[in-house]
Amino acid sequence: MKKFILRLILFCLLPLPLLLWLSNAVDKGLRQSRHFYYSEWNDVFNGKANADMLVMGSSRAWVQISPRILDSALHLNSYNLGMDGSQFNMQYERFKIYLQHNKKPKYILQEVGYTSTLVWFNELPTPQQFLPYLHDSNIWYITQKSASPFTMLDRYFPLYKYNNELPLIREGLRCYFGKGVAGAKYKGYEGKVLPWDSSFHNFKQANPEGKVWPIDPQAVKFFREYLDFCKANGIKVIMIYPPAFIESLEYIKNKDEILAVYNKLSAEYGIPFYNYMYDSLNYSRSHFYNSLHLNKEGSEIFTRKLAEQLRKDL
């Protein structure tokens, strides 16, 4: 019986060195990857974001504000840190990590709206984006203060976190050997060449009378803490409500209440609030791929408008 137990232990332990090597190789490879999930995180951790002007927000920042146009018009170095599917609490946590590895920005263009800034969200957006960084104490803290799918096994047991993530294992190994995917983003931005989709139609079907988007006091308090931090550190924040397809405004039942919050913050902190809610872009569906997101052509038109306004004000 003792021999059987010893053999069983040896059988379990023998693959461990290989698993450790594979796990480290995948982690190291993904921390070099230009994959959609990792390009911005890798720039942040490697000190390559390093922006004079940082764009922050949700997907409405990520796909709608082009650093290439900002850099050309304003003659500075910008970087888009927009985070798909995120609420502000997650955006702020990533900003804190950015500051640990990159220089302090002079300006922040903060995208605001009714779905990403004034609500509190405990779910991790796209948990896969955190996988190669779970060893980092700050990333681990972020995942654990959220409704995280990760456990100590994910953090410490080799390859366990990549269960059912074969494409990511493949990309990590390819990057480890210098053959990863080419990045689709430019300094965090990715203009979308997409046709109009059905999401707004589906929303109207589900909410024929429109919808009230609750304002969470906890989220507003957290946003104030961020504005206080930026003010104390000499970072000029500019709040931006990006364009949205004009028909969608009819379905935001409390839009005046939402705008009142941003106008109050603008006055209280002495920071600009650029409200593009009724911009001329909003009246042409051809500039959007859904009611909340401009397509690539629309985003470039918008960024040129934004750059012109910034050039006047800064």
Side-chain angles (χ1 to χ4, degrees):
M1 185 65 177
K2 290 182 179 178
K3 287 184 179 180
F4 171 76
I5 294 173
L6 180 61
R7 288 174 181 173
L8 181 62
I9 291 172
L10 287 173
F11 177 79
C12 293
L13 290 178
L14 281 175
L16 193 57
L18 176 61
L19 289 177
L20 282 168
W21 180 87
L22 277 174
S23 185
N24 289 331
V26 173
D27 278 351
K28 186 174 180 180
L30 292 180
R31 292 198 297 267
Q32 301 168 4
S33 176
R34 304 313 294 172
H35 186 282
F36 169 82
Y37 291 155
Y38 308 116
S39 58
E40 296 99 289
W41 279 116
N42 289 337
D43 285 348
V44 164
F45 276 112
N46 294 324
K48 293 182 178 179
N50 232 19
D52 303 309
M53 177 175 283
L54 195 62
V55 179
M56 285 183 53
S58 65
S59 59
R60 283 175 32 91
W62 156 49
V63 302
Q64 298 190 143
I65 301 178
S66 166
R68 192 188 304 275
I69 293 173
L70 292 178
D71 292 354
S72 176
L74 303 175
H75 306 293
L76 45 66
N77 178 41
S78 63
Y79 193 94
N80 190 324
L81 211 59
M83 197 174 189
D84 187 29
S86 68
Q87 272 62 47
F88 178 73
N89 51 321
M90 185 58 63
Q91 298 163 26
Y92 190 21
E93 295 297 345
R94 180 147 80 165
F95 177 55
K96 293 175 186 176
I97 295 175
Y98 165 93
L99 289 175
Q100 293 178 5
H101 301 276
N102 300 265
K103 72 177 184 181
K104 179 179 69 175
K106 296 178 182 177
Y107 310 101
I108 291 178
L109 306 183
Q110 178 65 54
E111 173 262 328
V112 297
Y114 56 91
T115 60
S116 62
T117 315
L118 303 181
V119 296
W120 191 268
F121 192 59
N122 283 322
E123 297 294 327
L124 279 180
T126 319
Q128 292 93 330
Q129 69 180 297
F130 301 100
L131 289 175
Y133 317 105
L134 290 182
H135 68 285
D136 182 88
S137 59
N138 294 299
I139 292 292
W140 185 249
Y141 169 77
I142 290 172
T143 65
Q144 296 309 294
K145 70 181 293 188
S146 305
S148 173
F150 300 126
T151 67
M152 299 301 282
L153 279 174
D154 294 294
R155 193 177 191 194
Y156 292 113
F157 193 83
L159 283 185
Y160 185 84
K161 61 189 175 185
Y162 292 111
N163 184 35
N164 296 322
E165 297 291 352
L166 185 59
L168 294 184
I169 294 175
R170 187 182 301 118
E171 168 65 8
L173 292 174
R174 285 176 61 84
C175 284
Y176 185 79
F177 292 106
K179 298 180 180 179
V181 296
K185 302 177 184 179
Y186 176 77
K187 298 172 79 171
Y189 160 76
E190 185 179 9
K192 295 290 189 178
V193 183
L194 294 172
W196 179 262
D197 67 25
S198 61
S199 57
F200 183 47
H201 172 76
N202 295 338
F203 176 82
K204 290 191 294 183
Q205 294 279 77
N207 303 275
E209 302 300 321
K211 183 174 179 178
V212 172
W213 298 87
I215 297 173
D216 190 324
Q218 182 182 10
V220 176
K221 180 182 177 182
F222 199 61
F223 193 67
R224 283 180 174 276
E225 290 178 10
Y226 160 70
L227 294 179
D228 287 333
F229 174 86
C230 290
K231 184 177 181 179
N233 285 273
I235 302 171
K236 184 176 178 65
V237 177
I238 296 146
M239 296 185 296
I240 299 170
Y241 192 111
F245 183 51
I246 196 65
E247 288 184 27
S248 68
L249 299 184
E250 301 173 17
Y251 292 84
I252 309 171
K253 306 305 289 184
N254 59 328
K255 59 179 174 292
D256 292 338
E257 180 187 10
I258 290 166
L259 289 177
V261 173
Y262 296 128
N263 285 319
K264 181 179 180 180
L265 291 171
S266 175
E268 185 175 332
Y269 285 90
I271 59 177
F273 174 39
Y274 295 176
N275 181 9
Y276 292 92
M277 184 177 278
Y278 294 100
D279 187 79
S280 59
L281 269 172
N282 300 358
Y283 293 83
S284 174
R285 201 175 78 170
S286 65
H287 291 129
F288 293 85
Y289 67 88
N290 62 37
S291 62
L292 290 179
H293 296 89
L294 293 160
N295 57 29
K296 186 173 187 293
E297 179 185 18
S299 72
E300 291 177 352
I301 295 171
F302 168 56
T303 308
R304 284 193 287 271
K305 287 188 176 190
L306 175 60
E308 183 61 28
Q309 183 67 52
L310 289 167
R311 188 162 53 183
K312 293 175 182 177
D313 289 350
L314 297 184

